[in-house]
Coordinates of all heavy atoms in Angstrom, one line a residue:
M1 N -71.5 18.2 21.9 CA -70.8 19.2 21.5 C -69.5 18.7 20.9 O -68.9 17.8 21.4 CB -70.5 20.2 22.7 CG -69.5 21.2 22.4 SD -69.1 22.2 23.9 CE -68.2 23.5 23.0
C2 N -69.1 19.3 19.8 CA -67.8 19.0 19.2 C -66.9 20.1 19.7 O -66.9 21.2 19.1 CB -67.8 18.9 17.7 SG -66.3 18.4 17.0
A3 N -66.0 19.9 20.7 CA -65.2 20.8 21.2 C -64.0 21.3 20.4 O -63.6 20.5 19.5 CB -64.6 20.3 22.6
S4 N -63.7 22.5 20.5 CA -62.5 23.0 19.8 C -61.5 23.6 20.8 O -61.7 24.6 21.3 CB -62.9 24.1 18.8 OG -61.8 24.5 18.2
F5 N -60.5 22.8 21.1 CA -59.6 23.1 22.2 C -58.5 24.1 21.6 O -58.0 23.9 20.6 CB -59.0 21.9 22.8 CG -59.9 21.0 23.4 CD1 -60.1 19.7 22.9 CD2 -60.6 21.4 24.6 CE1 -60.9 18.9 23.4 CE2 -61.5 20.5 25.2 CZ -61.7 19.2 24.6
T6 N -58.2 25.1 22.4 CA -57.2 26.1 22.2 C -56.2 26.2 23.3 O -56.4 25.7 24.4 CB -57.7 27.5 21.8 OG1 -58.3 28.1 23.0 CG2 -58.8 27.4 20.7
D7 N -55.1 26.9 23.1 CA -54.2 27.2 24.1 C -54.8 27.9 25.4 O -54.3 27.8 26.5 CB -52.9 28.0 23.6 CG -52.1 27.2 22.7 OD1 -52.1 26.0 22.7 OD2 -51.3 27.8 22.0
D8 N -55.9 28.6 25.2 CA -56.6 29.2 26.2 C -57.2 28.3 27.2 O -57.6 28.7 28.3 CB -57.7 30.2 25.6 CG -57.2 31.4 24.8 OD1 -55.9 31.8 25.1 OD2 -57.8 31.9 24.1
D9 N -57.4 27.1 26.8 CA -58.0 26.1 27.6 C -56.9 25.5 28.6 O -57.3 24.7 29.6 CB -58.6 24.9 26.8 CG -59.8 25.4 26.1 OD1 -60.6 26.3 26.6 OD2 -59.9 25.0 24.9
E10 N -55.7 25.7 28.5 CA -54.6 25.2 29.4 C -54.9 25.8 30.8 O -55.1 27.0 30.9 CB -53.3 25.5 28.8 CG -52.9 24.7 27.6 CD -51.5 25.1 27.0 OE1 -50.7 25.7 27.7 OE2 -51.3 24.6 26.0
G11 N -54.8 24.9 31.8 CA -55.1 25.3 33.1 C -56.4 25.2 33.7 O -56.7 25.4 34.8
K12 N -57.4 25.0 32.7 CA -58.8 24.9 33.1 C -59.1 23.6 33.8 O -58.5 22.5 33.6 CB -59.7 24.9 31.9 CG -59.8 26.3 31.3 CD -60.8 26.3 30.2 CE -60.9 27.8 29.6 NZ -61.8 27.8 28.4
R13 N -60.0 23.7 34.8 CA -60.5 22.5 35.5 C -61.3 21.7 34.5 O -62.0 22.2 33.7 CB -61.4 22.9 36.7 CG -60.7 23.6 37.8 CD -61.6 24.1 38.9 NE -63.1 24.1 38.5 CZ -64.1 23.6 39.2 NH1 -63.8 22.8 40.3 NH2 -65.2 23.7 38.9
V14 N -61.2 20.3 34.7 CA -62.1 19.4 33.9 C -63.0 18.8 35.0 O -62.5 18.2 36.0 CB -61.4 18.3 33.2 CG1 -62.3 17.4 32.5 CG2 -60.4 19.0 32.2
V15 N -64.3 19.0 34.8 CA -65.3 18.5 35.8 C -66.3 17.5 35.0 O -66.5 17.6 33.9 CB -66.1 19.5 36.5 CG1 -65.1 20.5 37.2 CG2 -66.9 20.3 35.5
N16 N -66.8 16.5 35.9 CA -67.8 15.6 35.3 C -69.1 16.2 35.3 O -69.3 17.5 35.6 CB -67.8 14.3 36.1 CG -68.3 14.4 37.6 OD1 -68.8 15.5 38.0 ND2 -67.9 13.4 38.4
A17 N -70.2 15.5 34.9 CA -71.5 16.1 34.7 C -72.1 16.6 36.0 O -73.0 17.4 36.0 CB -72.5 15.1 34.0
N18 N -71.6 16.1 37.2 CA -72.1 16.5 38.4 C -71.3 17.7 39.0 O -71.5 18.1 40.1 CB -71.9 15.3 39.5 CG -72.8 14.2 39.0 OD1 -73.9 14.4 38.6 ND2 -72.3 12.9 39.3
G19 N -70.3 18.2 38.3 CA -69.5 19.3 38.7 C -68.3 18.9 39.5 O -67.7 19.8 40.1
E20 N -68.0 17.6 39.7 CA -66.8 17.2 40.5 C -65.6 17.2 39.7 O -65.6 16.7 38.5 CB -67.0 15.8 41.0 CG -68.3 15.7 41.9 CD -68.7 14.2 42.1 OE1 -68.2 13.3 41.3 OE2 -69.5 14.0 43.0
E21 N -64.5 17.9 40.2 CA -63.4 18.0 39.4 C -62.7 16.7 39.2 O -62.6 16.0 40.2 CB -62.4 18.9 40.2 CG -61.1 19.2 39.4 CD -60.3 20.4 39.9 OE1 -60.8 21.1 40.8 OE2 -59.1 20.5 39.4
I22 N -62.3 16.3 38.0 CA -61.6 15.1 37.7 C -60.1 15.4 37.2 O -59.5 14.4 37.0 CB -62.4 14.2 36.8 CG1 -62.5 14.8 35.4 CG2 -63.7 13.8 37.3 CD1 -63.0 13.9 34.4
G23 N -59.8 16.5 37.0 CA -58.5 16.8 36.6 C -58.4 18.4 36.0 O -59.2 19.1 36.2
M24 N -57.2 18.5 35.2 CA -57.0 19.8 34.8 C -56.3 19.7 33.5 O -55.5 18.8 33.2 CB -56.0 20.6 35.7 CG -55.7 22.1 35.3 SD -54.9 23.0 36.5 CE -53.5 22.0 36.8
V25 N -56.5 20.7 32.5 CA -55.9 20.7 31.2 C -54.5 21.1 31.4 O -54.2 22.2 31.8 CB -56.6 21.5 30.2 CG1 -55.9 21.6 28.8 CG2 -58.1 21.3 30.0
K26 N -53.6 20.2 31.1 CA -52.1 20.4 31.3 C -51.5 21.2 30.0 O -50.8 22.1 30.2 CB -51.3 19.1 31.5 CG -50.0 19.4 31.9 CD -49.3 18.1 32.4 CE -47.9 18.4 32.9 NZ -47.2 17.3 33.6
N27 N -52.1 20.7 28.7 CA -51.7 21.3 27.6 C -52.5 21.0 26.4 O -53.4 20.1 26.5 CB -50.2 21.1 27.2 CG -49.9 19.6 26.9 OD1 -50.7 19.0 26.1 ND2 -49.0 19.0 27.5
V28 N -52.5 21.8 25.4 CA -53.3 21.5 24.2 C -52.4 21.5 23.0 O -51.5 22.4 22.9 CB -54.3 22.7 23.9 CG1 -55.0 22.5 22.6 CG2 -55.3 22.8 25.0
S29 N -52.5 20.4 22.3 CA -51.5 20.1 21.2 C -52.3 19.6 19.9 O -53.0 18.7 20.1 CB -50.5 19.1 21.6 OG -49.6 18.8 20.6
G30 N -52.2 20.3 18.8 CA -52.9 19.8 17.7 C -54.5 19.9 17.8 O -55.1 18.9 17.2
G31 N -54.9 20.7 18.7 CA -56.4 20.7 18.9 C -56.9 19.8 19.9 O -58.1 19.7 20.1
T32 N -56.0 19.0 20.5 CA -56.4 18.0 21.5 C -55.9 18.4 22.9 O -54.7 18.8 23.1 CB -55.7 16.6 21.2 OG1 -56.1 16.2 20.0 CG2 -56.0 15.6 22.3
A33 N -56.9 18.4 23.9 CA -56.5 18.7 25.2 C -56.0 17.6 25.9 O -56.5 16.4 25.8 CB -57.8 19.3 26.0
H34 N -54.9 17.7 26.7 CA -54.3 16.7 27.4 C -54.5 16.9 28.8 O -54.1 18.0 29.5 CB -52.8 16.5 27.1 CG -52.6 16.1 25.7 ND1 -52.5 14.8 25.3 CD2 -52.4 16.9 24.6 CE1 -52.3 14.7 24.0 NE2 -52.2 16.0 23.5
I35 N -55.1 16.0 29.6 CA -55.6 16.1 30.9 C -54.7 15.4 31.9 O -54.3 14.3 31.8 CB -57.0 15.5 31.1 CG1 -58.0 16.1 30.0 CG2 -57.5 15.7 32.5 CD1 -58.1 17.5 29.9
D36 N -54.4 16.2 33.1 CA -53.7 15.6 34.2 C -54.8 15.3 35.1 O -55.4 16.1 35.7 CB -52.7 16.6 34.8 CG -51.9 16.1 35.9 OD1 -51.9 14.9 36.1 OD2 -51.1 17.0 36.4
P37 N -55.0 14.0 35.3 CA -56.2 13.6 36.1 C -56.0 13.7 37.5 O -54.8 13.7 38.0 CB -56.4 12.1 35.8 CG -55.0 11.7 35.3 CD -54.4 12.8 34.7
D38 N -57.1 13.9 38.3 CA -57.1 13.9 39.8 C -56.7 12.5 40.3 O -57.2 11.6 39.8 CB -58.4 14.4 40.3 CG -58.5 14.5 41.8 OD1 -57.8 13.8 42.5 OD2 -59.4 15.3 42.3
P39 N -55.7 12.5 41.2 CA -55.2 11.1 41.6 C -56.4 10.3 42.2 O -56.3 9.1 42.2 CB -54.3 11.4 42.7 CG -53.9 12.8 42.5 CD -54.9 13.4 41.8
G40 N -57.5 11.0 42.7 CA -58.7 10.2 43.3 C -59.7 9.7 42.3 O -60.6 9.1 42.7
M41 N -59.4 10.1 41.0 CA -60.3 9.7 39.9 C -60.5 8.1 39.9 O -59.4 7.5 39.8 CB -59.9 10.2 38.6 CG -60.8 10.1 37.5 SD -60.4 11.2 36.2 CE -60.5 10.2 34.8
T42 N -61.7 7.6 39.9 CA -61.8 6.1 39.8 C -61.5 5.4 38.6 O -61.5 6.1 37.5 CB -63.4 5.9 40.2 OG1 -64.1 6.3 39.0 CG2 -63.8 6.4 41.5
D43 N -61.1 4.3 38.6 CA -60.8 3.4 37.5 C -62.0 3.4 36.5 O -61.9 3.3 35.3 CB -60.3 2.1 37.7 CG -58.9 2.1 38.4 OD1 -58.2 3.1 38.1 OD2 -58.6 1.2 39.2
T44 N -63.2 3.4 37.1 CA -64.5 3.3 36.2 C -64.5 4.4 35.3 O -64.8 4.3 34.2 CB -65.7 3.2 37.1 OG1 -65.6 2.1 37.9 CG2 -67.0 3.1 36.3
V45 N -64.3 5.7 35.8 CA -64.4 6.9 35.0 C -63.3 6.9 33.9 O -63.5 7.3 32.8 CB -64.3 8.2 35.9 CG1 -64.3 9.5 35.0 CG2 -65.5 8.3 36.8
K46 N -62.1 6.5 34.4 CA -61.0 6.5 33.5 C -61.3 5.5 32.3 O -61.0 5.7 31.2 CB -59.7 6.0 34.2 CG -59.0 7.1 35.0 CD -57.7 6.5 35.8 CE -57.2 7.6 36.6 NZ -55.9 7.1 37.2
S47 N -61.8 4.3 32.6 CA -62.2 3.4 31.7 C -63.2 3.9 30.7 O -63.1 3.7 29.4 CB -62.8 2.1 32.3 OG -63.2 1.2 31.3
K48 N -64.3 4.7 31.2 CA -65.2 5.1 30.2 C -64.8 6.2 29.3 O -65.2 6.4 28.2 CB -66.4 5.8 31.0 CG -67.3 4.6 31.7 CD -68.5 5.1 32.4 CE -69.3 4.0 33.0 NZ -70.4 4.5 33.8
L49 N -63.7 7.0 29.8 CA -63.0 7.9 28.9 C -62.0 7.3 28.0 O -61.3 8.0 27.3 CB -62.4 9.0 29.8 CG -63.4 10.0 30.5 CD1 -62.7 10.8 31.5 CD2 -64.1 10.8 29.5
G50 N -61.7 6.0 28.1 CA -60.7 5.4 27.3 C -59.3 5.5 27.9 O -58.4 5.4 27.1
W51 N -59.2 5.8 29.2 CA -57.9 6.1 29.7 C -57.4 4.9 30.5 O -56.5 5.1 31.4 CB -58.0 7.3 30.7 CG -58.3 8.6 30.0 CD1 -58.4 8.8 28.7 CD2 -58.6 9.8 30.7 NE1 -58.8 10.2 28.4 CE2 -58.9 10.8 29.6 CE3 -58.7 10.2 32.0 CZ2 -59.2 12.1 30.0 CZ3 -59.0 11.5 32.3 CH2 -59.3 12.5 31.3
G52 N -57.9 3.7 30.3 CA -57.6 2.5 31.0 C -56.2 2.3 31.4 O -55.7 2.5 32.6
D53 N -55.3 1.8 30.5 CA -54.0 1.4 30.8 C -52.9 2.4 30.1 O -51.9 2.0 29.6 CB -53.7 -0.1 30.3 CG -54.5 -1.0 31.1 OD1 -54.7 -0.8 32.3 OD2 -54.9 -2.1 30.4
H54 N -53.2 3.7 30.2 CA -52.4 4.6 29.6 C -51.2 4.9 30.5 O -51.3 5.0 31.7 CB -53.1 5.9 29.4 CG -52.6 6.8 28.4 ND1 -51.7 7.7 28.6 CD2 -53.0 6.8 27.1 CE1 -51.4 8.4 27.5 NE2 -52.2 7.9 26.5
D55 N -50.0 4.9 30.0 CA -48.6 5.0 30.8 C -48.2 6.5 30.9 O -47.2 6.7 31.6 CB -47.5 4.2 30.2 CG -47.9 2.6 30.4 OD1 -48.6 2.3 31.3 OD2 -47.4 1.8 29.6
E56 N -48.8 7.3 30.2 CA -48.4 8.7 30.3 C -48.9 9.4 31.6 O -49.7 9.0 32.3 CB -48.9 9.5 29.1 CG -48.5 8.9 27.7 CD -47.1 9.1 27.5 OE1 -46.5 10.1 27.9 OE2 -46.4 8.1 26.9
E57 N -48.4 10.7 31.8 CA -48.9 11.4 33.0 C -50.2 12.2 32.6 O -50.9 12.5 33.4 CB -47.9 12.4 33.4 CG -46.5 11.8 34.0 CD -45.5 12.8 34.5 OE1 -46.0 14.0 34.7 OE2 -44.4 12.5 34.7
T58 N -50.3 12.4 31.3 CA -51.6 13.0 30.9 C -52.4 12.1 29.9 O -51.8 11.2 29.3 CB -51.3 14.4 30.1 OG1 -50.5 14.1 28.9 CG2 -50.5 15.3 31.0
Y59 N -53.6 12.5 29.7 CA -54.5 11.7 28.9 C -55.2 12.6 27.9 O -55.6 13.6 28.3 CB -55.6 11.0 29.7 CG -55.0 10.0 30.7 CD1 -54.5 10.4 31.9 CD2 -54.9 8.7 30.4 CE1 -53.9 9.7 32.9 CE2 -54.3 7.8 31.4 CZ -53.9 8.3 32.6 OH -53.3 7.4 33.5
P60 N -55.4 12.2 26.6 CA -56.0 13.0 25.7 C -57.6 12.9 25.9 O -58.1 12.0 26.3 CB -55.7 12.3 24.2 CG -55.4 10.9 24.6 CD -54.8 11.0 26.0
L61 N -58.2 14.1 25.8 CA -59.6 14.2 26.0 C -60.3 14.2 24.7 O -60.1 15.0 23.8 CB -59.9 15.6 26.8 CG -61.4 15.8 27.0 CD1 -62.0 14.7 27.9 CD2 -61.6 17.1 27.7
D62 N -61.2 13.1 24.5 CA -62.0 13.0 23.3 C -63.0 14.1 23.3 O -63.9 14.2 24.2 CB -62.6 11.7 23.2 CG -63.4 11.4 22.0 OD1 -63.5 12.3 21.1 OD2 -63.9 10.2 21.8
D63 N -63.1 15.0 22.3 CA -64.0 16.2 22.3 C -65.5 15.7 22.3 O -66.4 16.5 22.7 CB -63.7 17.1 21.3 CG -63.7 16.5 19.8 OD1 -64.1 15.3 19.7 OD2 -63.3 17.3 18.8
D64 N -65.7 14.5 21.9 CA -67.1 13.9 21.9 C -67.7 13.8 23.4 O -68.9 13.8 23.5 CB -67.3 12.5 21.2 CG -67.0 12.7 19.8 OD1 -67.3 13.8 19.1 OD2 -66.7 11.6 19.1
N65 N -66.7 13.8 24.3 CA -67.2 13.6 25.8 C -67.5 15.0 26.4 O -67.9 15.0 27.5 CB -66.1 12.9 26.6 CG -66.0 11.4 26.2 OD1 -66.9 10.8 25.9 ND2 -64.7 11.0 26.2
V66 N -67.3 16.2 25.7 CA -67.4 17.4 26.3 C -68.9 18.0 26.1 O -69.3 18.0 25.0 CB -66.4 18.5 25.6 CG1 -66.7 19.8 26.2 CG2 -65.0 18.0 25.9
E67 N -69.3 18.4 27.2 CA -70.7 19.0 27.2 C -70.6 20.6 26.9 O -71.3 21.1 26.1 CB -71.4 18.8 28.5 CG -72.8 19.5 28.5 CD -73.5 19.1 29.9 OE1 -73.6 18.0 30.3 OE2 -74.0 20.1 30.5
S68 N -69.7 21.2 27.6 CA -69.5 22.6 27.5 C -68.1 23.0 27.9 O -67.4 22.4 28.6 CB -70.5 23.4 28.3 OG -70.3 23.2 29.7
I69 N -67.7 24.3 27.4 CA -66.4 24.9 27.8 C -66.8 26.3 28.2 O -67.4 27.0 27.4 CB -65.5 24.9 26.6 CG1 -65.1 23.4 26.2 CG2 -64.2 25.6 27.0 CD1 -64.2 23.4 24.9
T70 N -66.4 26.6 29.4 CA -66.5 28.1 29.9 C -65.1 28.6 30.1 O -64.1 28.1 29.8 CB -67.3 28.1 31.2 OG1 -66.6 27.5 32.2 CG2 -68.6 27.3 31.1
D71 N -65.2 29.9 30.6 CA -63.9 30.5 31.0 C -63.1 29.8 32.0 O -61.9 30.0 32.0 CB -64.1 32.0 31.3 CG -64.6 32.9 30.2 OD1 -64.5 32.5 29.1 OD2 -65.3 33.9 30.5
D72 N -63.8 29.1 32.9 CA -63.1 28.5 34.0 C -63.0 26.9 34.0 O -62.1 26.4 34.7 CB -63.9 28.8 35.3 CG -64.0 30.3 35.5 OD1 -63.0 31.0 35.2 OD2 -65.1 30.7 35.8
E73 N -63.9 26.3 33.1 CA -63.8 24.8 33.2 C -64.3 24.2 31.9 O -64.9 24.9 31.1 CB -64.7 24.4 34.3 CG -66.1 24.5 34.2 CD -67.0 24.1 35.3 OE1 -66.5 24.0 36.5 OE2 -68.3 23.8 35.2
I74 N -64.0 22.9 31.8 CA -64.5 22.1 30.7 C -65.5 20.9 31.4 O -64.9 20.3 32.3 CB -63.3 21.4 30.0 CG1 -62.6 22.5 29.3 CG2 -63.9 20.4 29.0 CD1 -61.3 21.9 28.7
R75 N -66.7 21.0 31.1 CA -67.6 20.1 31.7 C -67.9 18.9 30.7 O -68.2 19.1 29.5 CB -68.9 20.8 32.0 CG -69.9 19.8 32.7 CD -71.1 20.7 33.2 NE -70.8 21.6 34.3 CZ -70.9 21.5 35.6 NH1 -71.3 20.4 36.0 NH2 -70.5 22.4 36.3
L76 N -67.7 17.7 31.2 CA -67.9 16.5 30.4 C -69.4 16.1 30.5 O -70.1 16.4 31.4 CB -67.1 15.4 31.1 CG -65.6 15.6 31.1 CD1 -64.9 14.3 31.7 CD2 -65.1 15.9 29.7
Q77 N -69.8 15.4 29.5 CA -71.1 14.8 29.4 C -71.3 13.7 30.3 O -70.3 13.2 30.8 CB -71.5 14.2 28.0 CG -71.4 15.3 27.0 CD -71.7 14.7 25.5 OE1 -71.8 13.5 25.4 NE2 -71.7 15.7 24.5
R78 N -72.5 13.4 30.7 CA -72.7 12.3 31.6 C -72.2 11.0 30.8 O -72.5 10.7 29.7 CB -74.2 12.0 31.9 CG -74.5 11.0 32.9 CD -75.9 11.2 33.6 NE -76.1 12.5 34.1 CZ -75.8 13.0 35.3 NH1 -75.0 12.1 36.1 NH2 -76.1 14.1 35.7
L79 N -71.4 10.2 31.6 CA -70.8 9.0 31.0 C -71.6 7.8 31.1 O -72.3 7.5 32.1 CB -69.3 8.7 31.5 CG -68.4 9.9 31.3 CD1 -67.2 9.6 32.0 CD2 -68.1 10.0 29.8

């Protein structure tokens, strides 16, 4: 799915393919969702999303990783 993020996505939960919450959309800027990750999110998952050594509090979400967007959450594809 090629996601199209809007301001309506702010505050939505971001879950992995198993439905486990990995963060929340903090803001959307220029069509890119910026995620505030769950502190317990593993380094392996962060690495697969390209969030390895990022120094910011939020991380941009690559829309290629999104499986679906509902009213309540953004579900990622299996990594």
Side-chain angles (χ1 to χ4, degrees):
M1 168 183 194
C2 186
S4 178
F5 300 111
T6 68
D7 291 343
D8 292 338
D9 294 319
E10 291 180 7
K12 288 185 181 178
R13 298 176 337 127
V14 178
V15 299
N16 65 16
N18 297 325
E20 299 165 342
E21 186 170 350
I22 62 166
M24 181 174 52
V25 178
K26 187 164 186 179
N27 65 50
V28 176
S29 175
T32 300
H34 296 271
I35 309 305
D36 185 5
D38 181 332
M41 189 164 134
T42 67
D43 289 337
T44 302
V45 173
K46 286 181 181 179
S47 176
K48 288 183 179 183
L49 290 170
W51 298 351
D53 294 326
H54 206 269
D55 290 334
E56 301 291 324
E57 290 182 22
T58 63
Y59 299 83
L61 179 59
D62 184 354
D63 56 6
D64 290 338
N65 292 322
V66 175
E67 179 180 307
S68 64
I69 299 174
T70 67
D71 291 339
D72 301 320
E73 69 184 23
I74 296 173
R75 184 172 296 263
L76 301 180
Q77 296 177 359
R78 188 162 308 278
L79 299 174

